[in-house]
Amino acid sequence: MAATPKKKRTAGRILAVGAGLATVGALVAALPAGASGQKDGGSHGRYVDVQLLSFNDLHGNLEPPTGSAGRVTHTNPDGTTRTIDAGGVEYLATHLRQAREGNRYSITAAAGDMIGASPLVSGLFHDEPTVEALNRLKLDVTSVGNHEFDEGAKELARIQNGGCHPTAGCFEEGKRFRGADFPYLAANVTNEKSGKPLLDPYFIWERNGVRIGFIGVTLEGTANIVSAEGIKGLKFGDEIETINKYTKVLERKGVKSIVALLHEGGAPASGSYNYNCDSPGPGDGISGPIVDIAKNVSPQVDALVTGHTHQAYACTVPDPAGKPRTVTSAASFGKLYTDTTLTYDRRTKDIVRTAVVSANHVVTRDVPKAADMTRLITRWNALAAPIASRPVGYISGDVDNPADAPEKPLGNLIADAQLEGMAPADKGGAQLALMNPGGVRAPLVHKASGAEGDGVVTYGEAYTVQPFTNMMTAVDLTGAQLITTLQQQVSGANQAAPKILQISKGLTYTLDMTKTGADRIVVSSVKLNGEAIDPSKTYRVAMNEFLAGGGDGFAVLKEHKNKLVGASDLDMFTAYLAAHSTATAPLAPPATGRITVVK
């Protein structure tokens, strides 16, 4: 399983299925006596400083993400905050290359979701442009994330090993997709029958006798948040058990310095990237699944690079032996990268934990663009232009998608579009629509992104908002099942991190956040067009195939009946924009107020 960095991996790595601004972590202690303290770590001294650069959840954002999706929040010394425009692979490349300067021992790693839910310039070409960019970024290794399975395990095999797309073919004449130069790790994704890992479970980076092992896992709940068809025959195992298992395997191979790349994360108490999540105040710190995982992963693991929640943190969480250990995440979309110094002891072959320093850095846009990335983006944009630049609608202002708001203007717009598309009797007869919040990937921004003009929504921009091309369905649900659906937003699998569905006009209810679990839904307040939901009555509900399959923890939705499949969510979104806006009468951002929130 071991491999040296930068070596092109061979086909067969994946098994066939079914056929600068920074925040510093708390582990900042004096280096051991005799440590070099130099950037390059020296070549012959006992201690070597190894630079670990990491990021997560890029989601094919080659161009700078727009609107709120392209900003990070910085807290000033006086407690006030400001936002910084960030991201874009042209800038990420420059920042990473500058960070590597003078560091003889430097590794670049990622924690999953490099691809999937991508803007059109990457998604239209099945994310080949992003993989090409990551190769140029000299990414050494990444874990898989749930979005790496968006097009199924067979497509992931092609992403790793190369080759033209089975139906779309080769996108550039005379060029064959080479695949990823870096290994995707998926230690906890196994074949149900054989028990063998789908991909390499670990990777050993080695230079001048310095050896560091990387174990890659995705969240155990991946099967609940991706299309079931593409992962038939696969099992997603427990993250802690898997990491601990392969830690022992690496130890038997003489590798004592270990980093876990884990596509699961948490939520810091502050949304500022420079928040000190090791501060001891009440309500401070980090919460979510990563805390329990970090507390139970083997003490032999020296650091955890995490993702999935799109949050920024550089924290310490005690390992099972009670010793502090760094846990990091670099937000999403290439807006941040993490720089971690791992001091390697040549004598013990282990990381000196007390010398670990982690810091998140903003990928600012005030540095020169990397010319090779500009050429890459320009080349792929030229191929996408005939489709991407086509106007599909007009807006009078930003239609935002705020991460911290239960009800979002853009979510309302999309739900209304889905209801309108599925309401006709011959299209499904829907009376209301439900949209999963994770399927809304970016805001609609009024300012022009290119030459189209302010207020013009292009197909490329609409695609960036709805990149999954989920097919829409209309199904029968009883009133009782509908109420249970709303309760499952804030209970069960979603109790710790609520997933508030975006709802169409006419559906209203109260969300009482002073209560816990299912009680947060005030049942008597749930109404459709002003009438209380009748538990025994049947309602026709529009939703995408992902939700209809029980995705995102909405198990009750699998109990639906009389399913009718319609057009894709993207087609309904663009059709709605075309029907409700013109250049002279643009669509206004929808008002909120369908969900009354009690705090």
Side-chain angles (χ1 to χ4, degrees), residues 120-121 124-125 378-390 459-460:
L120 185 135
V121 69
L124 187 63
F125 306 106
T378 300
R379 195 179 91 240
W380 286 104
N381 266 335
L383 291 173
I387 298 172
S389 60
R390 177 169 57 88
Y459 183 83

Side-chain angles (χ1 to χ4, degrees), residues 44 59-60 72 216 238 244 273 292 318 322 347 378 447 449 470 482 491 514 518 522 536 566:
H44 307 291
H59 291 288
V72 295
D238 181 86
N244 290 347
Y273 80 91
D292 183 62
R347 186 176 300 172
T378 300
K447 184 176 176 59
S449 60
N470 268 311
L482 183 57
S491 63
T514 67
V522 180
S536 62

Side-chain angles (χ1 to χ4, degrees), residues 411-413 415-417 419-420 431-433 502-508 527-529 576 580 594:
N412 287 353
L413 175 60
D416 288 349
L419 174 59
E420 184 168 294
Q431 298 165 274
L432 66 141
Q502 303 301 285
I503 56 177
S504 56
K505 58 186 175 183
L507 182 63
T508 56
K527 297 178 180 180
L528 180 61
N529 299 321
Y576 187 87
H580 292 272
R594 300 171 188 184

Side-chain angles (χ1 to χ4, degrees), residues 272-563:
S272 293
Y273 80 91
N274 62 331
Y275 164 66
N276 177 13
C277 66
D278 291 334
S279 56
D284 282 356
I286 185 173
S287 59
I290 196 60
V291 178
D292 183 62
I293 293 171
K295 287 181 177 179
N296 288 281
V297 162
S298 169
Q300 191 59 51
V301 175
D302 297 296
L304 282 76
V305 176
T306 73
H308 186 56
T309 56
H310 292 202
Q311 301 297 306
Y313 47 84
C315 305
T316 55
V317 178
D319 68 15
K323 296 180 179 179
R325 175 168 54 193
T326 188
V327 180
T328 67
S329 174
S332 62
F333 300 170
K335 292 178 290 190
L336 300 175
Y337 71 91
T338 310
D339 190 335
T340 301
T341 299
L342 302 173
T343 299
Y344 182 91
D345 186 338
R346 288 184 182 274
R347 186 176 300 172
T348 64
K349 300 181 181 180
D350 207 348
I351 299 300
V352 182
R353 201 75 89 66
T354 56
V356 174
V357 179
S358 291
N360 272 330
H361 297 262
V362 180
V363 177
T364 58
R365 301 176 189 171
D366 57 359
V367 298
K369 295 180 179 181
D372 58 334
M373 294 300 176
T374 300
R375 289 192 297 270
L376 183 153
I377 293 169
T378 300
R379 195 179 91 240
W380 286 104
N381 266 335
L383 291 173
I387 298 172
S389 60
R390 177 169 57 88
V392 294
Y394 304 85
I395 53 175
S396 63
D398 289 352
V399 187
D400 215 346
N401 184 43
D404 56 353
E407 182 184 353
K408 312 168 197 297
L410 186 52
N412 287 353
L413 175 60
I414 290 171
D416 288 349
Q418 294 177 351
L419 174 59
E420 184 168 294
M422 300 298 289
D426 62 338
K427 302 293 185 183
Q431 298 165 274
L432 66 141
L434 306 175
M435 175 63 198
N436 55 304
V440 186
R441 305 303 298 184
L444 281 180
V445 178
H446 183 264
K447 184 176 176 59
S449 60
E452 74 276 12
D454 292 350
V456 179
V457 180
T458 65
Y459 183 83
E461 291 166 339
Y463 184 100
T464 298
V465 171
Q466 293 257 264
F468 297 107
T469 318
N470 268 311
M471 302 309 292
M472 288 301 301
T473 68
V475 302
D476 282 354
L477 291 178
T478 65
Q481 289 171 326
L482 183 57
I483 290 170
T484 298
T485 299
L486 298 179
Q487 292 173 328
Q488 287 181 348
Q489 299 176 115
V490 290
S491 63
N494 294 326
Q495 181 155 337
K499 289 187 174 68
I500 306 302
L501 296 167
Q502 303 301 285
I503 56 177
S504 56
K505 58 186 175 183
L507 182 63
T508 56
Y509 70 94
T510 297
L511 177 66
D512 188 347
M513 297 304 290
T514 67
K515 298 181 180 179
T516 59
D519 289 340
R520 288 176 165 177
I521 303 301
V522 180
V523 174
S524 61
S525 72
V526 183
K527 297 178 180 180
L528 180 61
N529 299 321
E531 294 186 7
I533 294 293
D534 183 345
S536 62
K537 186 178 177 181
T538 297
Y539 296 86
R540 290 292 283 171
V541 184
M543 67 187 75
N544 58 42
E545 286 269 29
F546 171 70
L547 278 177
D552 268 353
F554 293 97
V556 69
L557 294 180
K558 291 190 290 186
E559 300 172 10
H560 67 259
K561 296 180 179 178
N562 299 324
K563 181 170 75 172

Side-chain angles (χ1 to χ4, degrees), residues 65-295:
T66 60
S68 58
R71 302 187 192 108
V72 295
T73 300
H74 175 87
T75 298
N76 301 315
D78 63 0
T80 59
T81 61
R82 60 188 172 94
T83 59
I84 304 169
D85 290 337
V89 76
E90 294 159 296
Y91 303 109
L92 176 62
T94 298
H95 279 278
L96 291 179
R97 289 164 184 171
Q98 290 178 347
R100 292 179 188 131
E101 291 177 3
N103 288 281
R104 185 175 301 178
Y105 297 86
S106 183
I107 312 166
T108 303
D113 277 7
M114 294 295 97
I115 60 174
S118 305
L120 185 135
V121 69
S122 185
L124 187 63
F125 306 106
H126 299 274
D127 280 314
E128 290 183 19
T130 295
V131 175
E132 181 183 343
L134 292 171
N135 288 343
R136 292 176 181 273
L137 281 177
K138 302 299 182 186
L139 182 64
D140 287 294
V141 60
T142 184
S143 64
V144 295
N146 52 288
H147 282 283
E148 263 78 25
F149 293 94
D150 280 351
E151 294 191 49
K154 289 184 179 180
E155 172 63 2
L156 179 55
R158 189 185 74 89
I159 290 294
Q160 177 71 86
N161 299 318
C164 296
H165 192 272
T167 56
C170 293
F171 298 112
E172 295 180 288
E173 188 175 351
K175 290 187 179 181
R176 181 181 181 275
F177 176 56
R178 61 186 281 187
D181 290 347
F182 50 90
Y184 269 107
L185 304 182
N188 66 331
V189 186
T190 56
N191 185 294
E192 282 183 333
K193 292 182 179 179
S194 69
K196 293 181 179 180
L198 174 72
L199 296 153
D200 284 354
Y202 62 86
F203 164 78
I204 301 173
W205 182 93
E206 184 171 0
R207 182 164 298 166
N208 297 331
V210 176
R211 304 176 79 204
I212 298 179
F214 290 84
I215 301 167
V217 299
T218 188
L219 70 155
E220 184 180 6
T222 291
N224 298 322
I225 54 176
V226 300
S227 174
E229 185 64 29
I231 57 169
K232 278 185 178 179
L234 293 181
K235 179 181 178 181
F236 293 82
D238 181 86
E239 304 97 333
I240 298 168
E241 292 177 5
T242 303
I243 293 171
N244 290 347
K245 171 185 174 180
Y246 284 103
T247 296
K248 293 178 180 177
V249 171
L250 286 169
E251 287 184 284
R252 288 196 294 269
K253 290 181 173 290
V255 178
K256 297 182 180 179
S257 298
I258 300 170
V259 175
L261 304 175
L262 172 62
H263 193 69
E264 178 61 289
S270 168
S272 293
Y273 80 91
N274 62 331
Y275 164 66
N276 177 13
C277 66
D278 291 334
S279 56
D284 282 356
I286 185 173
S287 59
I290 196 60
V291 178
D292 183 62
I293 293 171
K295 287 181 177 179

Side-chain angles (χ1 to χ4, degrees), residues 45-57:
R46 174 174 173 179
Y47 297 102
V48 175
D49 283 349
V50 179
Q51 178 190 60
L52 173 61
L53 302 175
S54 58
F55 56 98
N56 51 276
D57 296 277

